[in-house]
Amino acid sequence: MSYKFSIVIEKDEHGYYAYCPELPGCQSEGDSLAEVQANIKEAVELYLETLSELEKQALQDKEILTMTLEVKVS
């Protein structure tokens, strides 16, 4: 079965950091965007292996919304 989750990736001076808001504590890092994407995919897969089917389905019902907001500062 396939599941979809939100992933947030942040870049800083040390590389990339990624986490999944639906899966508390599920996070990873990498030196490049490609590396962090591969690492967080593996982290999510390993996390899901620890859950029952009911727990997995409950996580899919959680709604995560993202947006971009532009504000003017004078």
Side-chain angles (χ1 to χ4, degrees):
M1 182 169 225
S2 180
Y3 299 94
K4 289 186 180 184
F5 292 99
S6 303
I7 301 296
V8 177
I9 299 175
E10 300 176 12
K11 184 177 189 302
D12 63 19
E13 67 274 5
H14 303 292
Y16 293 85
Y17 167 74
Y19 64 96
C20 178
E22 292 99 329
L23 306 176
C26 187
Q27 55 196 3
S28 192
E29 61 185 355
D31 293 328
S32 68
L33 183 57
E35 183 179 15
V36 78
Q37 287 172 321
N39 290 347
I40 194 63
K41 182 178 186 289
E42 180 181 23
V44 168
E45 290 168 346
L46 292 171
Y47 192 109
L48 292 177
E49 287 179 8
T50 69
L51 303 178
S52 71
E53 287 303 318
L54 286 174
E55 291 171 315
K56 291 174 193 174
Q57 189 56 50
L59 290 170
Q60 287 289 266
D61 294 337
K62 189 173 184 180
E63 187 174 3
I64 303 287
L65 303 172
T66 62
M67 63 181 271
T68 300
L69 179 66
E70 182 177 340
V71 296
K72 285 188 175 186
V73 178
S74 50

